[in-house]
Amino acid sequence: MALIQSVKAIQVLDSRGLPTVSCKITLDNGITASSTVPSGASTGTKEALELRDGGDFYKGKGVEKAVNNINTLINPLLEKLDPRDQQLIDQKLIDLDGTKDKSNIGANAILAVSLAVSHAAAKDNNVSLHEHFLEIYHNITGQKVNPSLPMPMLNILNGGEHADNNIDIQEFMIIPKGANTFKEAMRWSSEIYWNLKSILKEKKLSTGVGDEGGFAPNLQSNEEAIKLIIEAINASNLIPGEDVFIALDCAASEFYDGTKYNLAGENKSLDSTAFANYLEELVDKYPIISIEDGMDENDNEGWKILTEKIGSRCQLVGDDLFVTNKTIFQEGINNNLANSILIKFNQIGSITETIETIQIANKHSYKSIISHRSGETEDTTISDLAVGLGAGQIKTGAPCRSDRVAKYNRLLWIEEESPNINLSQ
Ligand code: PGA
Ligand code: ZN
């Protein structure tokens, strides 16, 4: 049973070319394990704090302070601890920080270590990371879950904060729900993606991509984006609403001014009820089965209206609304807001807290969707997390760009190596 010998971090770059924290743990038997943390752009205001240096270097976005906190404060704190004690280690990190939002040590520093601890324990136990997560979930919650391959939600058309186009809705995703295997789901998705590219080209629209690998053309309206995707599904000999469905992430906080939802791209300014009607019309017209952040993170009344209107027939996902925070999430559940939660471990800052939030979702029959951030790296921890916790769904961008496909590729390997783990339907 190997123990932690050292924890070392450096500053590396993410998919947007901005600094992020990478951490390596060495055990006393020579095993090493690494992690690198992601970073968002349309962040919720209640997320745990990503510590940035300020100053001139990297336009103030450096993370040398967070790196330094790992090398000088966390390294001695974790020496000789057992990496299997995830909960104890995460608690030590939370106590060391001492703030509610991890602003002292930095959520980026704490998460990097928390992830590397999981990787180190899995390696030392000689099990896959997803098997290790299954076990940690059991250790932390006392409950068992069934592992499964997550249904992917692929963001193939980007707008909002992730692109320089005029589309207000941030993400237009496809869900290849009719696929029988993960492999088939990825083939369908890639074929749709390529057909979408051809269609955009034919219409003389841009085929440049946004931060999550989806295309980012200028269009007349959000509805036009949906129509183009339907065309691409048809061109792939697949049936929209049968084989493949559509999901949206409005990231509505980005275009809410406190009273109105401003769709600049189509010259509309709508109050909560009118915006809920707008979304309802889209759900009526198109095979949309999931809408994330359909309302602003503080517009509880809007969330209630939207949930009452379409919550029974559409997955309504709280991202900025819940920020993977169990306290905020529980309040939302008590108020009947949404029916699903997006899980981003850097919103809360540790594996233990992420698992506690998923446990609450399971208890209240809210669906959990494991998610990447728009700023990503080669780290594929979320793939194993989605499988081991049987979350059922993952969203990790387009089938394009290595930072996105790394996660899908990891899932393809898990499927190959785990014949007993099936695709969640
Ligand atoms: P972010 O976007 O990583 O830029 O916050 C992702 C999302 O809103 O789901
Ligand atoms: Zn979102």
Side-chain angles (χ1 to χ4, degrees), residues 265-284:
E266 44 198 91
N267 237 331
K268 284 187 178 133
S269 188
L270 308 172
D271 65 17
S272 305
T273 306
F275 190 53
N277 289 340
Y278 174 93
L279 293 174
E280 185 181 30
E281 270 173 41
L282 291 179
V283 171
D284 285 341

Side-chain angles (χ1 to χ4, degrees), residues 42 170-171 249 251 292-293 319-320 342 344 395:
S42 68
Q170 180 178 278
E171 302 173 20
D249 179 3
E292 180 180 329
D293 281 351
D319 170 13
D320 292 351
L342 201 76
K344 292 167 164 169
K395 106 167 177 168

Side-chain angles (χ1 to χ4, degrees), residues 148-152 368-370 386-387 389-394 423-425:
S148 63
L149 283 150
M151 179 57 67
S368 297
I369 300 161
I370 307 294
V387 173
L389 304 190
Q393 295 171 86
I394 193 168
L423 178 62
S424 178
Q425 294 297 331

